[in-house]
Amino acid sequence: MKSRKWTIGAVVMTFSMLMGGCGKEVAKPVDIVEGVDKCDVCHMNVPNDHNATEIVLQNGKVLKFDDIGCMHRWTKEHENESVEAKFVRDYLSQEWVNTDRATYVYDKSFETPMGYGIYSFKDKEAAEAFVKEKQTGLVMSVQELDKHTWERSMKKHGKHKGDSESDQHGSKDDQHGMQDNQHGTQEAQQTQN
């Protein structure tokens, strides 16, 4: 009698465990629709390229970003949101990769839509080979990326509302440099005349 109760209990427990694991689908990234999808932070169009990133919320809503820096900003501004998964694109193949499994390379000279200069790779070896080939860049794990300073290159990019003071300071430095350069050009022209 005891063995029969034990067998029934084991069957019920096994069935419960199997049913519990079958109820929820694994979060997956969705296709980018160029010309339609806009970044959930900067509201720029999201190109279907290696810079695109996505967040899947627990309610199933998918947020799209044109730059990993925008995804980082959204995450910091919405810390209480229930995020199911985050995805980046592999720089070489443009495959979607879970952020926790990717390796990142940063250099301020790397061009990205909002100037954060971070590329994602599906494996560390590819990231290291990229840095070796370009002879520049810092390879980072997802843990190191979380501690990253998230500074933006101001060369070709606008500013997000609420950017950090260091970004604003960099912008002022760029403006001063441009003014100095213009002043030097005017002096050179006057000397020639």
Side-chain angles (χ1 to χ4, degrees), residues 53-177:
T53 65
E54 292 183 352
I55 292 177
V56 180
L57 300 178
Q58 285 186 347
N59 66 9
K61 182 178 180 181
V62 178
L63 307 174
K64 299 176 183 182
F65 307 94
D66 63 340
D67 191 303
I68 192 171
C70 290
M71 181 171 68
H72 171 76
R73 271 189 75 146
W74 186 93
T75 302
K76 290 298 178 196
E77 292 170 4
H78 298 88
E79 290 179 352
N80 295 328
E81 284 288 335
S82 299
V83 172
E84 183 72 22
K86 295 181 189 177
F87 298 96
V88 292
R89 302 287 282 280
D90 177 63
Y91 179 81
L92 302 171
S93 69
Q94 296 187 25
E95 281 179 59
W96 288 107
V97 181
N98 188 296
T99 56
D100 292 338
R101 295 186 188 122
T103 300
Y104 304 90
V105 177
Y106 165 75
D107 192 89
K108 66 181 179 179
S109 68
F110 294 165
E111 291 189 23
T112 63
M114 295 309 293
Y116 287 97
I118 298 172
Y119 294 153
S120 309
F121 293 84
K122 65 181 175 182
D123 59 67
K124 186 176 181 179
E125 294 77 21
E128 290 170 343
F130 180 83
V131 167
K132 187 174 181 179
E133 177 188 328
K134 299 294 182 185
Q135 297 182 351
T136 190
L138 173 66
V139 176
M140 296 185 285
S141 66
V142 69
Q143 293 82 12
E144 292 166 326
L145 184 67
D146 286 342
K147 297 173 187 170
H148 180 62
T149 60
W150 296 97
E151 293 174 15
R152 294 175 59 207
S153 167
M154 300 308 293
K155 291 179 186 174
K156 298 180 182 177
H157 309 284
K159 293 190 57 52
H160 285 212
K161 183 179 177 186
D163 274 343
S164 72
E165 196 166 307
S166 66
D167 284 344
Q168 292 170 0
H169 198 63
S171 178
K172 288 178 187 173
D173 290 344
D174 289 347
Q175 289 173 356
H176 289 302

